[in-house]
Amino acid sequence: MNATVEKLGKVKNKITITVDADTFEKSMEKAFRKTMKRYNIPGFRKGHAPRALVERYYGPGVLYEDAFEIAFPEAYEKALEETGLKPISRPELDVEQIEKGKDLIFTAVVYEYPEAELGDYKSIHAEKAVDEVTDDDVGAEIERERDRVARYVDVTGRPVKLDDEVNIDYKGFCEGEQFDGGTAEGQTLVIGSGHFIPGFEDQLVGKNIGDEVEVNVTFPEEYHAENLKGKPATFQVKINSIRVKELPALDDEFAKDVSDCDTLEEYRASVRKRLEEAAENRAERAFENEVIEKLTEMAEVEIPEPMVEDEITSMVRDMEQRMMYQGMRLEDFLKYTGQTLEQMREMYREQAQERVHTRLALEALKKAEGIEATEADIDAELQKVADAQNKPLDEIKEKLSGDVKEYYKLVAEMNKTLDALKGYAVASAPEAPKAAETDGE
């Protein structure tokens, strides 16, 4: 067996592998022994004709495919050992010569795992801008909570107003005929919410309990029902009741109802703290994303197509899992949206390319910085899991398999890598210019 390598790129290689004629002949014989029961030659019981007669009867190439399948694994494995290549995916094979009595010659195009070439990553600069939490922000958050726990109370003696909740019965007609999905009884609707067809809610304002109203609307052009898009419709609506939203008083009792706080002032302080923590987290994520983006832009790497394809497959699988949780199959989604699986995969291609590029850049940074996770680093990651599950760390570690521990080791190393990168981004911030010294000082 002989193997030679031709570089087709930084990570793409073509191996030409030659299997000597004697070795290939042994594969041919094994192929015949494996497949002899397939052949039916007149004058012989099925599977009992000699090989020479089978090759004359069916042609010399009858055994080539099976012989190649037998010869390939060992020849390919020896070629990798001889060349020192470590492919990341299955080879792209092409048979150049396959003939009885001659050497078997085939090529295998393989991709190696790429390493990104980093630029001056220590000069990357970014700033973390944390939004200030104002009194108005705190007040708005508290008002949202008041609105969430508000209750609706019945009102009589007045017509429908904006923001009222009305209970209605209705029947919808399009071109004189009732249409599917256009009829309901006891339907609740908040006036001004925009949940119904544009113009529907406005025509109920000023009407009273017991009124029967004819509402005329036009379905939007982008309406989900094909037979109703852009068409005029009439609804016969009866108003059964009117309710108005009643907000709770803004006092200590409200604070106790919606939180663990005893007073309204304590609740205000807790809301402010929560908003400040959220603002800090948003700023941290934005800062992290910016430095990662700059590192990725700086890193030069040739990305093998199989890595992109694998990432696309992972993204499609994740989407399929999310759909399953929502009770939908991927096949049904594709049918509903009029897409093919190939079109969906192509839609993910650019994002997958960027993800792989980023991962390779971070791996190169980890290597450049010599980052390794210690047992303490891994325990810190596992402690997050323990806290989330409200379990002791020791209990989490007892049930930890080797593969799962390796995963958290990688998580810890990636977090340390990001911390190092963010540290450089802060350290490389340009110094503020010194104030000019004035004469006479």
Side-chain angles (χ1 to χ4, degrees), residues 377-437:
D377 295 327
I378 299 172
D379 283 352
E381 295 300 327
L382 292 173
Q383 186 64 58
K384 298 175 186 177
V385 179
D387 292 343
Q389 298 182 11
N390 197 26
K391 294 180 179 179
L393 176 60
D394 289 343
E395 183 178 337
I396 297 294
K397 293 177 69 173
E398 282 176 9
K399 301 177 181 179
L400 204 63
S401 68
D403 288 344
V404 175
K405 183 174 181 179
E406 181 64 22
Y407 166 77
Y408 283 103
K409 176 178 180 289
L410 294 174
V411 170
E413 288 177 347
M414 191 51 60
N415 286 338
K416 291 179 74 172
T417 302
L418 287 173
D419 287 342
L421 179 61
K422 289 186 286 187
Y424 288 128
V426 172
S428 64
E431 294 183 7
K434 295 180 180 179
E437 295 184 0

Side-chain angles (χ1 to χ4, degrees), residues 15-86:
I15 315 172
T16 300
I17 302 170
T18 301
V19 178
D20 66 81
D22 289 342
T23 302
F24 184 57
E25 169 57 28
K26 292 177 182 177
S27 298
M28 291 276 285
E29 183 62 25
K30 288 180 181 177
F32 174 68
R33 297 298 175 193
K34 175 183 175 184
T35 63
M36 59 190 301
K37 292 183 179 180
R38 298 179 191 170
Y39 311 118
N40 192 6
I41 305 292
F44 292 87
R45 282 187 298 152
K46 188 175 182 179
H48 285 74
R51 175 183 159 190
L53 189 57
V54 168
E55 289 178 324
R56 284 201 303 271
Y57 190 84
Y58 285 95
V62 67
L63 299 174
Y64 289 170
E65 184 176 345
D66 291 296
F68 179 82
E69 291 297 325
I70 292 170
F72 164 74
E74 183 178 355
Y76 181 62
E77 190 65 32
K78 286 182 178 180
L80 294 182
E81 291 178 6
E82 186 176 309
T83 60
L85 295 175
K86 296 180 180 179

Side-chain angles (χ1 to χ4, degrees), residues 196-407:
F196 273 36
I197 303 165
F200 185 102
E201 297 166 21
D202 297 340
Q203 295 176 57
L204 300 184
V205 174
K207 309 303 180 183
N208 293 286
I209 296 173
D211 284 355
E212 295 186 358
V213 186
E214 183 178 284
V215 174
N216 295 292
V217 295
T218 300
F219 283 99
E221 290 292 341
E222 64 276 11
Y223 196 64
H224 63 84
E226 193 69 32
N227 63 318
L228 298 174
K229 287 183 177 181
K231 291 184 178 180
T234 299
F235 287 85
Q236 295 174 358
V237 183
K238 180 183 178 183
I239 299 176
N240 300 320
S241 64
I242 304 172
R243 300 202 303 171
V244 65
K245 184 185 292 184
E246 186 177 81
L247 295 173
L250 196 57
D251 54 19
D252 291 346
E253 290 305 312
F254 164 73
K256 291 176 183 178
D257 288 341
V258 299
S259 71
D260 295 330
C261 301
D262 292 325
T263 67
L264 182 60
E265 287 311 305
E266 288 179 5
Y267 177 59
R268 287 187 192 279
S270 71
V271 169
R272 179 179 292 278
K273 181 180 178 182
R274 173 158 49 87
L275 292 178
E276 288 174 345
E277 289 175 350
E280 173 67 26
N281 289 336
R282 285 195 305 273
E284 182 66 22
R285 286 195 300 270
F287 172 63
E288 188 173 284
N289 289 338
E290 184 177 353
V291 296
I292 289 175
E293 184 177 341
K294 290 183 175 181
L295 178 73
T296 303
E297 290 174 353
M298 180 182 290
E300 295 183 2
V301 62
E302 181 180 319
I303 301 175
E305 189 59 29
M307 291 187 74
V308 178
E309 291 296 332
D310 287 347
E311 187 66 25
I312 292 174
T313 298
S314 177
M315 294 169 73
V316 171
R317 189 181 300 118
D318 287 345
M319 183 177 184
E320 187 173 14
Q321 288 292 329
R322 291 195 299 271
M323 287 180 179
M324 287 177 60
Y325 292 140
Q326 297 170 5
M328 181 182 292
R329 297 188 310 162
L330 178 61
E331 295 84 351
D332 296 332
F333 175 80
L334 292 172
K335 184 177 179 181
Y336 180 77
T337 58
Q339 292 184 86
T340 64
L341 182 58
E342 291 71 24
Q343 287 171 329
M344 174 180 280
R345 289 181 65 87
E346 195 59 34
M347 180 181 68
Y348 282 133
R349 183 167 301 280
E350 185 176 348
Q351 186 180 355
Q353 181 95 12
E354 188 65 21
R355 282 189 179 187
V356 175
H357 193 172
T358 296
R359 184 167 70 245
L360 293 172
L362 288 170
E363 287 176 1
L365 177 61
K366 183 179 79 168
K367 182 178 180 180
E369 290 289 306
I371 291 173
E372 293 184 4
T374 64
E375 284 297 322
D377 295 327
I378 299 172
D379 283 352
E381 295 300 327
L382 292 173
Q383 186 64 58
K384 298 175 186 177
V385 179
D387 292 343
Q389 298 182 11
N390 197 26
K391 294 180 179 179
L393 176 60
D394 289 343
E395 183 178 337
I396 297 294
K397 293 177 69 173
E398 282 176 9
K399 301 177 181 179
L400 204 63
S401 68
D403 288 344
V404 175
K405 183 174 181 179
E406 181 64 22
Y407 166 77

